[in-house]
Amino acid sequence: MAGSSHEAMHRIFQKDPALLTRALQQVLRIPFPEPYDFAGMNVDLTEIEPVERRVDTLLRAETDEGTYLLVVESQGKPDDRKRGSWPYYLSYLYEKYRCEPVLIVVTQNSATARWAAEPIHLGVRGCPSLTVRPFVLGPDNVPVIADEREAERDVPLAVLSAMTHGRGRQAPAILESLAAALRTIDRDSAAVFVQFVDSCLADTRARQMWRDMMTTIQYFWRHPLAEQVREEGRLETRAEMTLNILEWRGVPVSDAIRHRVETCTDEDLLKLWARRAMDVSRAEDLFDADGS
């Protein structure tokens, strides 16, 4: 289980390694060769005498051009210690495995992305002995996927989009599109992606919106996080959930409809309305002609 934003931002590539090369090729426009095989590797780079050093995620990608080591680092804020650690990681991995190492930094913060993208020069100023140029995936280049069909075409990329951009005015459209796309994949994979997104949503309102939607389509309940939410008492009633989903989707709700939902005592009916709230374009469409 991914328990933090830091962990989720790199573990998504363990769940779907091909997403990483698609991001290099399509987002960063890097002519990375198409891998035909992936393997997870030990992230511990500690030597016998050491300061302990670990990368976040390390993948081996086999391509027709040779073997690459994909080093994924999740970065929440600038950290000058990384200016020394990252060159060490790459040099150590090359010496140990004799494969080309590639450093990819993922972040939710634009300022951190700009910092991470700065080349690292070691040696004489203007004539360095070693230069490291990290590839960075962040808010300025990861696409905003707020269209349901686009999200369905590449669900892992839509998950990365939600993890990177899931805040502010864009959040409702991004999360709504992803919620719809998750219905098109197997439930176990969907449950993992749900947790990744939940871990990365720093905005309280966006996280509650996500949890309400996931509760409605029931992926959330397959995950241990659901039990934690129950224990903390943060899940709203079905009526509040229905009204909140409509509000977050920008669907107007009249006082009469609000009163009807809030005063309903039929749990099955409230569950039905909550599911419908994910799709309707008018609040009136929550109800069938027979009143259900």
Side-chain angles (χ1 to χ4, degrees):
M1 180 176 77
S4 68
S5 172
H6 173 92
E7 189 177 358
M9 288 297 288
H10 68 88
R11 278 196 57 194
I12 186 176
F13 300 113
Q14 297 175 20
K15 172 64 179 172
D16 187 343
L19 171 63
L20 190 55
T21 53
R22 291 202 303 279
L24 290 173
Q25 295 163 347
Q26 300 171 20
V27 177
L28 298 181
R29 305 298 180 187
I30 294 165
F32 192 86
E34 194 66 37
Y36 56 79
D37 188 35
F38 283 103
M41 300 184 68
N42 191 336
V43 299
D44 192 344
L45 307 187
T46 304
E47 298 183 60
I48 296 176
E49 294 288 336
V51 174
E52 183 177 332
R53 298 179 187 271
R54 292 176 184 270
V55 296
D56 287 333
T57 285
L58 180 61
L59 300 168
R60 186 180 70 239
E62 302 289 350
T63 79
D64 290 335
E65 296 180 13
T67 301
Y68 288 86
L69 301 178
L70 304 179
V71 184
V72 185
E73 285 282 282
S74 174
Q75 196 67 30
K77 61 183 179 180
D79 181 354
D80 286 339
R81 292 175 300 177
K82 295 295 186 180
R83 312 301 285 184
S85 296
W86 288 341
Y88 170 85
Y89 294 165
L90 300 182
S91 298
Y92 175 84
L93 288 168
Y94 181 77
E95 177 63 21
K96 182 174 182 178
Y97 295 106
R98 293 295 170 174
C99 301
E100 298 295 340
V102 180
L103 175 62
I104 303 102
V105 181
V106 290
T107 182
Q108 296 173 286
N109 182 275
S110 293
T112 302
R114 290 191 293 271
W115 165 83
E118 286 292 321
I120 301 168
H121 301 295
L122 301 179
V124 178
R125 182 172 298 181
C127 190
S129 298
L130 176 65
T131 297
V132 172
R133 291 183 171 86
F135 298 136
V136 181
L137 295 169
D140 297 330
N141 55 19
V142 172
V144 174
I145 298 181
D147 176 79
E148 181 177 329
R149 291 184 179 179
E150 187 179 358
E152 289 176 359
R153 283 196 294 270
D154 193 337
V155 176
L157 185 60
V159 173
L160 182 61
S161 177
M163 292 162 62
T164 306
H165 299 286
R167 63 181 67 190
R169 292 179 300 174
Q170 301 176 110
I174 293 171
L175 297 178
E176 182 181 347
S177 298
L178 177 58
L182 288 175
R183 301 177 188 177
T184 67
I185 65 174
D186 68 277
R187 291 177 66 89
D188 290 334
S189 294
V192 174
F193 287 145
V194 166
Q195 167 63 5
F196 285 162
V197 174
D198 188 272
S199 298
C200 289
L201 293 176
D203 183 281
T204 303
R205 191 166 181 267
R207 176 179 285 190
Q208 189 60 56
M209 172 190 177
W210 181 244
R211 291 183 173 187
D212 282 350
M213 289 194 297
M214 293 304 98
T215 299
T216 298
I217 60 178
Q218 297 181 331
Y219 287 129
F220 189 62
W221 298 105
R222 294 173 59 84
H223 202 283
L225 180 62
E227 200 59 44
Q228 173 190 336
V229 172
R230 288 192 196 97
E231 291 172 3
E232 294 175 358
R234 290 184 296 185
L235 280 181
E236 301 169 342
T237 66
R238 291 281 181 182
E240 291 171 326
M241 188 185 306
T242 300
L243 296 172
N244 283 339
I245 291 172
L246 291 172
E247 178 188 349
W248 287 322
R249 295 186 60 235
V251 178
V253 179
S254 67
D255 289 342
I257 290 177
R258 181 177 299 276
H259 177 74
R260 181 174 177 178
V261 172
E262 289 178 338
T263 56
C264 179
T265 58
D266 186 327
E267 181 69 13
D268 291 336
L269 197 53
L270 286 170
K271 288 180 182 179
L272 174 63
W273 291 348
R275 288 195 298 271
R276 288 177 178 170
M278 295 281 295
D279 302 309
V280 298
S281 56
R282 302 183 312 139
E284 291 81 358
D285 293 335
L286 288 178
F287 319 117
D288 285 339
D290 62 2
S292 63

